[in-house]
Amino acid sequence: EGEMDFLLEEGRFNSISKEENIMLVGVFTKEEVKAVVWNYDGNKSLEPDGLSFNFINACWDVIKGDILSAVNEFHGYRQLVVT
């Protein structure tokens, strides 16, 4: 079950394997989310009056479950529900 080729008008393109597809559509792991948070500029925030990534890093042990849930909810539903 290797890769398949697709022929389009402009030429032939390789597709991804089933394993690569599973990895791409699967939920994010704690390690993946933490790596993004840790590698982001700590002085930045998602909103002008939002929490900085330095704050998120400092509080990671307390909020990591909520962050992971929000990221995976967005991944699953393609939207964030604000309550």
Side-chain angles (χ1 to χ4, degrees):
E1 323 230 294
E3 296 179 9
M4 296 176 54
D5 290 337
F6 288 97
L7 182 61
L8 301 177
E9 289 180 28
E10 302 296 320
R12 190 169 286 281
F13 296 90
N14 291 330
S15 67
I16 62 173
S17 69
K18 286 184 180 183
E19 293 80 16
E20 290 168 320
N21 183 52
I22 290 169
M23 189 241 354
L24 289 171
V25 299
V27 296
F28 298 105
T29 66
K30 291 178 189 174
E31 295 78 20
E32 289 172 320
V33 174
K34 183 177 180 179
V36 169
V37 171
W38 255 249
N39 289 317
Y40 205 80
D41 182 352
N43 293 317
K44 303 278 183 176
S45 68
L46 299 176
E47 298 178 6
D49 60 349
L51 303 173
S52 73
F53 279 85
N54 283 332
F55 175 82
I56 294 170
N57 287 351
C59 298
W60 183 252
D61 288 335
V62 175
I63 63 174
K64 65 183 171 188
D66 292 330
I67 299 289
L68 188 61
S69 293
V71 167
N72 283 318
E73 181 175 325
F74 176 77
H75 181 266
Y77 298 104
R78 310 302 188 261
Q79 64 182 0
L80 289 176
V81 178
V82 178
T83 58

